[in-house]
Amino acid sequence: MSFKNKFPQFSFFLFICLIYLIRIFAWASADLNHDEALTLGMYCHSLDGEYLSFFNIFRNYTLANNHFLSSACYWLWLKVLFFHSNSFLVRFPSLFFAFFTLWVIYAKWGKHIEKFYSFVMALVFASGFIYNSFSYQVRGYSMSMFLSACIVYYILEILKRRAEKGQFMLCFLLFLQPLIMPSAAIIAVASTMIIFIYFYYTEKNVFTALKWSLPGLLCAILSASYYLTLGEQLTIAA
């Protein structure tokens, strides 16, 4: 497709991003809230000067504030950014995932549904209160929503194209989700049910349904089981 043909789509996406930016700019530019400051101060950049190692992020779960993969991302980000920089820049990793979530909804979902509907969906997210309220925060919500949007795309790839690459990517994404926050494992359950029901009713074969649906669930269970290695910290966090 030529740039001339792509330009209208790119323009629509820029419009979606502009709506999102207008909606969240004041919030994203405000001071860090309590949970955000706690996340950065406990796992990424100690406020008392103590060095916090990268790998310690994955062994510290005394508070459920620690969204492992997101905290790791912010640990790396603060190594290239002065901690006293403005709040908008500090929150950039979450904003990065937020914008790419909108791109996945508009561009990738649009490969399987009418472009108009993917545009409307992305616009609803960009202007929606719930998405706006969480996506900019220094927490794992934005990363988790980005992975969830990708998961929907690869589910569509599996259902419509029987794409083995789609299944591999789905397994990988479902493996990552619980490593952001354990409750995200529920996404694997929902994904498995959707894929199983679809193939069971279209193929009339339970083994085919399990072949396409079960691997993703097993990957999520595998990564979620990591929390069992944290011992008493789980009880404290609860």
Side-chain angles (χ1 to χ4, degrees):
M1 184 181 291
S2 67
F3 176 75
K4 184 177 181 180
N5 293 328
K6 284 184 176 180
F7 184 73
Q9 295 186 26
F10 184 67
S11 301
F12 288 142
F13 178 64
L14 285 182
F15 175 74
I16 292 167
C17 290
L18 180 62
I19 294 298
Y20 174 71
L21 191 59
I22 291 171
R23 288 281 287 142
I24 59 90
F25 185 78
W27 294 340
S29 301
D31 291 339
L32 301 179
N33 64 40
H34 176 268
D35 281 346
E36 291 177 300
L38 200 61
T39 296
L40 294 180
M42 289 188 66
Y43 312 115
C44 305
H45 187 101
S46 176
L47 299 179
D48 59 8
E50 179 186 356
Y51 174 75
L52 300 177
S53 74
F54 180 80
F55 294 105
N56 185 61
I57 292 171
F58 299 93
R59 300 306 302 167
N60 186 345
Y61 201 68
T62 51
L63 288 176
N65 279 60
N66 191 4
H67 297 164
F68 288 146
L69 293 183
S70 177
S71 296
C73 181
Y74 273 99
W75 188 96
L76 295 171
W77 176 238
L78 292 182
K79 292 295 177 283
V80 299
L81 182 76
F82 291 112
F83 189 72
H84 59 265
S85 295
N86 69 65
S87 299
F88 191 88
L89 285 178
V90 170
R91 292 182 170 113
F92 180 78
S94 290
L95 294 170
F96 174 84
F97 285 115
F99 281 113
F100 266 88
T101 299
L102 298 175
W103 177 78
V104 170
I105 294 171
Y106 174 63
K108 306 299 280 185
W109 291 14
K111 292 184 176 181
H112 293 290
I113 61 177
E114 291 290 337
K115 210 68 177 181
F116 171 76
Y117 295 120
S118 67
F119 171 75
V120 171
M121 288 179 185
L123 195 59
V124 168
F125 271 79
S127 58
F129 179 77
I130 295 177
Y131 185 74
N132 295 160
S133 299
F134 289 94
S135 59
Y136 72 91
Q137 294 187 32
V138 181
R139 312 283 276 111
Y141 307 126
S142 188
M143 182 185 287
S144 182
M145 287 188 284
F146 168 70
L147 295 185
S148 297
C150 293
I151 284 169
V152 171
Y153 168 69
Y154 285 112
I155 287 176
L156 292 172
E157 283 281 287
I158 291 172
L159 300 186
K160 294 197 171 187
R161 298 181 180 176
R162 307 293 200 271
E164 292 185 0
K165 178 184 176 182
Q167 186 179 39
F168 172 81
M169 288 303 301
L170 179 64
C171 290
F172 177 64
L173 294 168
L174 290 176
F175 178 84
L176 293 180
Q177 275 283 22
L179 295 178
I180 301 175
M181 57 187 86
S183 58
I186 194 67
I187 297 172
V189 177
S191 302
T192 300
M193 291 177 63
I194 291 169
I195 297 172
F196 180 86
I197 292 171
Y198 176 85
F199 279 104
Y200 181 76
Y201 279 97
T202 56
E203 302 290 338
K204 306 298 182 183
N205 188 315
V206 68
F207 294 105
T208 301
L210 288 173
K211 169 192 170 184
W212 288 102
S213 63
L214 192 57
L217 179 62
L218 295 177
C219 288
I221 292 173
L222 177 63
S223 61
S225 65
Y226 172 76
Y227 289 87
L228 298 178
T229 70
L230 298 174
E232 294 182 359
Q233 293 189 72
L234 278 179
T235 305
I236 297 173

